[in-house]
Amino acid sequence: MVVRPVVMFLEGEGTDARGRTVFDVLAMDDVALERTHDFIQWLFPLPEPSAAVPDSPVLTPGDIQAIRVSELAPIALTGATDRMVAFYQTTHDWLMPNDHNHRRITRIIRSLRLLQGDEAADAFRDAILARVEATRAPVSARSRGYWATA
């Protein structure tokens, strides 16, 4: 079986389309995470193409299975989840009615549900909603609806 690039990336053995390892991406500071728009598809892949980053990975059923049974990929996914929770806890620009980060949040929830299960997806979603509630941010009902159904 051929191991595809997204699986190798999440196992720490490969790079994304720009030559970054998962460790490089996780080491980005908050400013870099906000300004860079092509890493989220590698950290949290989905089985459909990204409209924002057309050359990003598209998960196959084989990728999904390989990630689920991998010893290393779940560790990277947990690290990526922790990093993104920290990002959303310490940044404020996304706490508005509409923001590109709302789509990222939806992607993260969907990817976690697919690759790590409901508990991981719900925990991330709950951390995001807790931040929204704590700040009384005017995040749109539409975004909240996407997060609820992701």
Side-chain angles (χ1 to χ4, degrees), residues 54-130:
D55 66 341
S56 61
V58 176
L59 289 177
T60 66
D63 296 335
I64 295 166
Q65 183 62 24
I67 291 166
R68 285 180 181 167
V69 302
S70 170
E71 290 184 29
L72 300 174
I75 296 168
L77 283 165
T78 299
T81 302
D82 292 348
R83 179 64 187 99
M84 294 311 294
V85 167
F87 172 77
Y88 291 120
Q89 293 294 327
T90 58
T91 61
H92 310 291
D93 292 343
W94 66 278
L95 294 167
M96 57 181 53
N98 296 295
D99 184 78
H100 73 275
N101 279 291
H102 297 188
R103 288 180 184 232
R104 285 181 174 180
I105 291 165
T106 302
R107 169 179 276 277
I108 294 167
I109 296 166
R110 289 187 61 226
S111 181
L112 288 173
R113 195 165 309 286
L114 182 66
L115 299 174
Q116 289 199 302
D118 291 339
E119 186 175 327
D122 293 345
F124 178 81
R125 182 198 61 220
D126 293 349
I128 295 299
L129 290 173

